Amino acid sequence: MISSDNSSTAPEGGNEKEPVKILLAEDDTEDQELFLDALQEAQISSEVTAVENGQELLDTLRDESQGDPDIIFIDVNMPVKDGKQALEEIKKDDELRDIPAVMLSTWDHPSDIEDAFGKGADLYVQKPSSFAGFVLVLKKVFLLHWAKALLRPVRKLFFVSEKNISQGDS
């Protein structure tokens, strides 16, 4: 498990906000680093804890010495316990079900997206193929979708990818 504090002061003239507490479940350390770098580039003040599989995710969430995160990003394909299994357990747990969960995947297959929606995910994000795309996707998730989509998932806004952002979807 790694932790990263990306707290920064607000841009000039802006209000300082509490950093977003993010729990990232991602088995690929390069993808973890990409995620952290993209958050920093997007100027999203955050505290990130990363775990490497679905079981570590559940153990971290159930550890009473850890506070609940504001949002969870879950890679779909991980060892030990995959993201969909972890999501299902999170959404069945009375203590955890209200934490917004964003699924991350390289795939955009409609049945995978529908399955994640049915299991209670709040968003499904296709991992971008570029760093700039990752920054763009994170900005979209945090700045545009946070209020609308994470309060109650809406099918039309559920799937986020670099492609549908660049096509002017807002």
Side-chain angles (χ1 to χ4, degrees), residues 83-131:
K84 288 183 186 178
Q85 292 171 311
L87 173 68
E88 203 164 16
E89 286 188 44
I90 290 165
K91 294 304 179 178
K92 287 180 179 176
D93 187 311
D94 291 339
E95 301 290 318
L96 306 175
R97 73 168 41 133
D98 293 331
I99 301 169
V102 178
M103 303 306 289
L104 296 170
S105 180
T106 53
W107 303 103
D108 66 347
H109 196 275
S111 65
D112 287 339
I113 296 167
E114 187 64 33
D115 188 36
F117 186 85
K119 285 183 164 77
D122 295 282
L123 283 175
Y124 187 102
V125 173
Q126 183 179 19
K127 291 180 183 178
S129 57
S130 68
F131 179 73

Side-chain angles (χ1 to χ4, degrees), residues 9-155:
T9 56
E12 204 171 305
N15 295 332
E16 274 196 54
K17 294 182 181 177
E18 284 284 316
V20 178
K21 291 181 181 124
I22 299 170
L23 181 52
L24 171 65
E26 171 62 69
D27 62 312
D28 186 311
T29 54
E30 287 181 13
D31 283 353
Q32 288 178 6
E33 289 175 24
L34 180 67
F35 184 90
L36 295 171
D37 291 345
L39 276 173
Q40 187 168 5
E41 181 70 23
Q43 298 181 346
I44 298 166
S45 179
S46 59
E47 293 174 5
V48 180
T49 300
V51 296
E52 296 185 2
N53 62 61
Q55 189 58 55
E56 282 186 36
L57 170 65
L58 290 163
D59 293 344
T60 301
L61 287 168
R62 291 177 177 144
D63 181 348
E64 293 184 15
S65 70
Q66 304 280 330
D68 283 343
D70 295 314
I71 188 168
I72 309 165
F73 285 83
I74 309 169
D75 184 29
V76 172
N77 296 310
M78 293 184 290
V80 183
K81 183 173 290 201
D82 73 26
K84 288 183 186 178
Q85 292 171 311
L87 173 68
E88 203 164 16
E89 286 188 44
I90 290 165
K91 294 304 179 178
K92 287 180 179 176
D93 187 311
D94 291 339
E95 301 290 318
L96 306 175
R97 73 168 41 133
D98 293 331
I99 301 169
V102 178
M103 303 306 289
L104 296 170
S105 180
T106 53
W107 303 103
D108 66 347
H109 196 275
S111 65
D112 287 339
I113 296 167
E114 187 64 33
D115 188 36
F117 186 85
K119 285 183 164 77
D122 295 282
L123 283 175
Y124 187 102
V125 173
Q126 183 179 19
K127 291 180 183 178
S129 57
S130 68
F131 179 73
F134 219 124
V135 172
L136 189 64
V137 163
L138 288 175
K139 282 182 178 181
K140 181 81 167 182
V141 168
F142 283 99
L143 304 177
L144 300 177
H145 277 357
W146 187 266
K148 279 193 261 180
L150 296 182
L151 290 177
R152 175 177 282 163
V154 178
R155 277 186 200 273

